[in-house]
Amino acid sequence: MKIYDYLIIGAGSAGCSVAYFLHQEEKRVAIVDREGIAGGASGAAGAFLSPLPGKKNLYNSLVNDALNFSIDFYKNLLPNIVEKKGVLRIPNNNFNKDKLAQSYIKYSYYDTQKLKNISKNFMDIDGYFYEYAAVIEPTEISKKLIENCDFYKKDIKKLDFKDGIYNIDEIKAKNIILAQGVSTSLVEIPYMKISPIFGLRIDVKTTTKIPFNIHKSISVSTNKQDGTVSIGATHERHDNAILECLTTCDKCPFYVNSEQGQIETLLKQAQELIKLEDLKVVKIYKGARATIKSYFPVIGKVIDYEKSLEKYPSIKNGTKIPPDSLEYFENLYIINALGSRGFVFGPYLAKILTQNILHNTPIPKEISTQKLFYKTARAKAN
């Protein structure tokens, strides 16, 4: 029986990207998902690739570095489905005019008259145009990423590790990478509390020609190759909800009867930005994006929380123990909490994780499992 070097659990943007880079390193890779390739949040994503403006900080630097890498990566991978036409950011409560105007990223200011000269369909809005932005087709990208890997549609319930090999539903692998998104983790990771964020995307057809992506509290894409326009938004964060994610949002009782009002609101908000003529809804997608409180994604080797604290109880009091001395689950890695920027972060983080696993290249502290572990251990002691 074939033994894979790596089995990736989760075939969304994160899992598929890791599979791609591991295969590029000539590793034998399999990937499993209970819903299929991009069957969850990744398939429902608007897949807008946009910069994060504002004064430079750790988080927006990470986002923008990932954006630059990922747009170039997708253009080389599958150029025909990358619509790189830029994005117009409209001021809102989170990003007012001052914050957008003080952005460290290069932009051009478009007043109302300039926008109406570009298209008579623009409403009375103004905004900040960023050239380096795009929209992609998430499912096609995901399938392309793993075309040279073995895919299994399976619902994995537990991990069985013996004699250096994981044996999971007759699939054997030396290493496991968890890319499960909001799904219940297969191992206990108490230092990483995933909060699902509900996202809604509507694909429409319209005779309006949209010159570039538009973003306010929602996003409207430029016209794509298949003739559709994507309208998307992230609506609701479940920090306080008691929710175990066992399925996709279109089947979840939390959402199944709640989306109609959100759809109508989303279409209304889109029309407040640009008049969409002869509008016809083609398809509706729902998905829960995985995030944590800090909004930073997380990658790296999975730390065994209990064993590490048992070995070094002084960690709770702030003692600095070298990361290499902590206790880890055998041959187990994670990439998660990519939030609403899954296709921005996916390739960039996957490349970093692959280089770390195979070549011991350091993972930046702000996205490491170690940072979360130390923070959680010390917080619980206080």
Side-chain angles (χ1 to χ4, degrees):
M1 180 179 289
K2 181 190 293 187
I3 298 178
Y4 294 99
D5 294 312
Y6 294 88
L7 173 64
I8 299 165
I9 301 176
S13 61
C16 291
S17 295
V18 174
Y20 174 87
F21 284 107
L22 286 170
H23 178 265
Q24 291 293 104
E25 296 270 2
E26 300 183 349
K27 300 302 178 183
R28 290 167 296 178
V29 182
I31 186 165
V32 300
D33 195 290
R34 68 182 180 214
E35 299 291 343
I37 301 168
S42 291
F48 294 93
L49 310 180
S50 302
L52 186 58
K55 293 183 178 179
K56 192 170 186 177
N57 57 48
L58 269 179
Y59 183 68
N60 66 17
S61 295
L62 175 68
V63 170
N64 295 324
D65 287 346
L67 174 74
N68 293 336
F69 177 88
S70 295
I71 287 181
D72 289 343
F73 173 79
Y74 292 132
K75 284 170 64 180
N76 289 325
L77 181 75
L78 209 57
N80 291 338
I81 57 99
V82 180
E83 298 290 347
K84 181 181 171 291
K85 296 182 180 178
V87 62
L88 181 74
R89 294 278 311 225
I90 312 301
N92 60 18
N93 291 335
N94 291 328
F95 284 89
N96 59 29
K97 284 192 173 185
D98 287 342
K99 191 169 185 178
L100 289 170
Q102 293 170 13
S103 177
Y104 80 99
I105 310 167
K106 184 180 178 181
Y107 65 83
S108 298
Y109 175 69
Y110 287 8
D111 62 20
T112 302
Q113 188 56 55
K114 181 164 186 174
L115 289 171
K116 287 185 180 292
N117 289 340
I118 293 171
S119 170
K120 63 180 179 61
N121 287 64
F122 275 113
M123 306 307 284
D124 291 336
I125 59 174
D126 63 328
Y128 299 78
F129 180 74
Y130 298 87
E131 184 177 348
Y132 213 71
V135 63
I136 61 172
E137 286 296 339
T139 302
E140 288 186 43
I141 283 285
S142 299
K143 289 179 178 178
K144 180 68 175 177
L145 286 167
I146 64 169
E147 64 180 357
N148 295 310
C149 304
D150 291 339
F151 174 76
Y152 300 89
K153 188 174 181 180
K154 287 180 177 289
D155 187 4
I156 306 300
K157 298 293 188 183
K158 65 177 183 177
L159 301 180
D160 181 17
F161 184 74
K162 186 178 180 181
D163 298 329
I165 298 293
Y166 283 96
N167 192 337
I168 302 171
D169 286 0
E170 299 182 352
I171 304 172
K172 294 182 182 294
K174 298 174 185 176
N175 301 272
I176 297 286
I177 298 176
L178 300 176
Q180 296 179 265
V182 299
S183 297
T184 304
S185 179
L186 291 169
V187 296
E188 287 291 325
I189 312 179
Y191 49 89
M192 198 166 86
K193 298 294 186 183
I194 293 291
S195 297
I197 301 182
F198 175 58
L200 182 67
R201 164 186 154 205
I202 306 171
D203 280 357
V204 303
K205 287 199 172 181
T206 175
T207 54
T208 299
K209 301 301 180 187
I210 304 172
F212 35 70
N213 298 341
I214 310 165
H215 178 80
K216 192 176 181 183
S217 55
I218 68 163
S219 294
V220 181
S221 80
T222 186
N223 309 82
K224 297 185 291 185
Q225 290 287 332
D226 64 358
T228 64
V229 167
S230 289
I231 304 171
T234 299
H235 283 290
E236 189 168 359
R237 181 166 173 160
H238 295 179
D239 288 303
N240 299 316
I242 301 173
L243 185 69
E244 183 179 23
C245 192
L246 300 173
T247 185
T248 51
C249 288
D250 57 322
K251 303 171 188 173
C252 178
F254 194 93
Y255 297 124
V256 73
N257 295 316
S258 67
E259 80 274 8
Q260 188 56 45
Q262 293 167 329
I263 292 167
E264 292 170 1
T265 299
L266 196 57
L267 294 174
K268 180 176 180 291
Q269 289 175 313
Q271 294 279 19
E272 291 171 353
L273 301 175
I274 189 167
K275 184 178 180 182
L276 301 175
E277 298 178 314
D278 304 313
L279 183 66
K280 179 183 177 182
V281 174
V282 176
K283 194 167 182 178
I284 298 163
Y285 302 84
K286 293 174 285 182
R289 289 82 159 125
T291 188
I292 59 174
K293 191 173 182 180
S294 71
Y295 288 101
F296 278 90
V298 183
I299 62 174
K301 201 168 184 181
V302 181
I303 301 164
D304 189 319
Y305 183 82
E306 298 299 337
K307 286 186 177 180
S308 291
L309 290 184
E310 183 181 340
K311 186 175 180 180
Y312 302 108
S314 62
I315 290 175
K316 295 179 181 179
N317 301 320
T319 301
K320 293 183 179 180
I321 303 298
D324 289 347
S325 298
L326 297 174
E327 294 292 313
Y328 294 86
F329 289 98
E330 291 282 349
N331 303 348
L332 186 65
Y333 305 86
I334 195 165
I335 175 169
N336 208 339
L338 277 62
S340 59
R341 299 179 182 274
F343 284 92
V344 172
F345 281 136
Y348 183 71
L349 297 179
K351 181 74 178 292
I352 293 173
L353 180 59
T354 300
Q355 292 298 307
N356 173 259
I357 293 171
L358 300 182
H359 307 296
N360 206 31
T361 304
I363 291 173
K365 183 174 72 173
E366 60 270 18
I367 58 174
S368 68
T369 54
Q370 289 88 358
K371 181 180 180 180
L372 282 180
F373 167 78
Y374 290 126
K375 184 176 181 180
T376 302
R378 290 161 187 163
K380 287 191 175 184
N382 297 326

